[in-house]
Amino acid sequence: IAVIDPRCSKTASRAWKWLPVEPVNGVPAIAMAMIRWIIDNKRYDAAYLANLNKAAAKADNEPTWSQAAWLVKIGADGTPGKYLRGSDLARPVEPRTRKDGSTWDFDAFVAKSGDTYLTFDPNDDKTAVEGELFVDTEVNGIRVKSVLQIIHEAAKARTIEAWCELAGVRASDVLAIAREFVSHGKKAVADLHRGVSQHTGGFYNVTAWYTVNTLIGNIGWQGGLCKATTWNYTGNRP
C-alpha cells in the first residue's frame, strides 16, 4: 500500500511508501504524473479502453466499458467541447420510444476505426463496436480528438518531474508506485475519499484518480475498483 497524504497517518506509518504531498495541488499532480507515465509507456489496458459499448464489453468478458475512444469536438481555441454526434456527420437520428410511450431522437456517438467513422449506442448489447484510442483529426470540417488523446495531452502539459515538483514529492517514489500499480493486471486500485474528495478541488481530484484506475481497466473487478458490498449490523448482507 502507498499513501498520499500531507500528514503521516496511522495507515501512512505502515505503508510501503508515504508521499507527504502539498495539500492543495499534490493529490491531482501525482495522478497526472502517473497518467503520463502509464500512457507514455503503453501500460494501459488497450483492449478494455477500445470498447465503445456494452456489447463490446460483453465480448471481452468485461463488466464495464469506457469513453476513451469517443470523439470530442475541439473549439477554435483548442479546448474540448461536446461529443461528436452522428448528426454532425449528416447521419440520421433514430426515433426511440420510452416506456411511457413518448418518443425521443437518439443521436449516436462517434468513434474512428481506420478510415471509417463509426456511430454507436453505448448501451447496445447486440453489436460490438471498438474504436481507436488516439485520434487528432478533422472530419466534415470539424476538429476532433478522442477522449484518451485529450487526457494524454493534458498529462503532457508538464514533465513527470515537474508534476512531482508541484506535488512536493520525489519523482523516484511516484515512478516506483506507477510501476507497481501496473504490475498486477486489474488487481490494483487507487482509492480516495474524505479530505481528497471534500476539498474545493475534490471533483478534479476524484476525476484524475478515477482516470488512473480506468487506464488499467480495473472498473468492476474484484481487487480493482469494485462496488462495495457491505454487511449490515446483524452480520448479513442487505
Side-chain angles (χ1 to χ4, degrees):
I1 186 172
V3 174
I4 301 170
D5 195 327
R7 66 192 182 95
C8 187
S9 63
K10 290 181 179 180
T11 306
S13 70
R14 291 164 172 78
W16 162 58
K17 285 191 180 293
W18 166 47
L19 275 61
V21 294
E22 293 292 332
V24 177
N25 296 317
V27 169
I30 293 175
M32 296 302 283
M34 287 187 62
I35 289 168
R36 172 157 190 175
W37 185 89
I38 291 170
I39 298 178
D40 283 352
N41 290 276
K42 295 180 171 58
R43 297 301 300 271
Y44 49 86
D45 188 338
Y48 169 77
L49 295 173
N51 291 333
L52 294 170
N53 60 7
K54 190 173 184 178
K58 286 172 60 178
D60 285 352
N61 194 33
E62 291 280 1
T64 64
W65 61 99
S66 82
Q67 296 171 312
W70 296 23
L71 295 183
V72 177
K73 292 185 282 189
I74 305 300
D77 61 353
T79 58
K82 296 181 178 181
Y83 286 115
L84 185 71
R85 307 301 282 262
S87 60
D88 295 314
L89 305 182
R91 299 182 187 180
V93 297
E94 178 186 338
R96 294 192 176 181
T97 304
R98 299 186 180 92
K99 292 181 179 179
D100 63 4
S102 61
T103 60
W104 63 290
D105 291 330
F106 173 71
D107 196 358
F109 297 93
V110 184
K112 189 175 186 293
S113 179
D115 295 329
T116 304
Y117 288 89
L118 308 171
T119 50
F120 64 93
D121 177 353
N123 294 308
D124 181 0
D125 61 358
K126 300 293 191 298
T127 305
V129 187
E130 297 181 354
E132 293 180 19
L133 295 178
F134 296 98
V135 178
D136 181 357
T137 189
E138 186 174 300
V139 55
N140 271 25
I142 305 171
R143 178 84 182 280
V144 296
K145 294 180 182 181
S146 62
V147 169
L148 193 59
Q149 178 75 32
I150 294 167
I151 290 171
H152 193 200
E153 290 177 5
K156 290 196 298 182
R158 297 174 187 261
T159 64
I160 290 174
E161 290 73 19
W163 284 121
C164 294
E165 182 180 356
L166 180 64
V169 298
R170 293 178 300 200
S172 58
D173 285 334
V174 174
L175 292 174
I177 291 170
R179 293 188 188 98
E180 183 70 19
F181 186 75
V182 300
S183 298
H184 304 279
K186 298 177 183 292
K187 293 187 176 182
V189 65
D191 190 24
L192 67 163
H193 190 44
R194 305 295 293 182
V196 175
S197 58
Q198 296 176 24
H199 190 272
T200 52
F203 174 84
Y204 297 100
N205 292 341
V206 172
T207 300
W209 281 100
Y210 273 31
T211 299
V212 173
N213 283 311
T214 303
L215 286 177
I216 65 167
N218 69 2
I219 312 299
W221 284 95
Q222 184 176 5
L225 188 63
C226 192
K227 184 182 74 171
T229 52
T230 54
W231 300 75
N232 64 21
Y233 70 96
T234 65
N236 297 315
R237 293 198 185 280

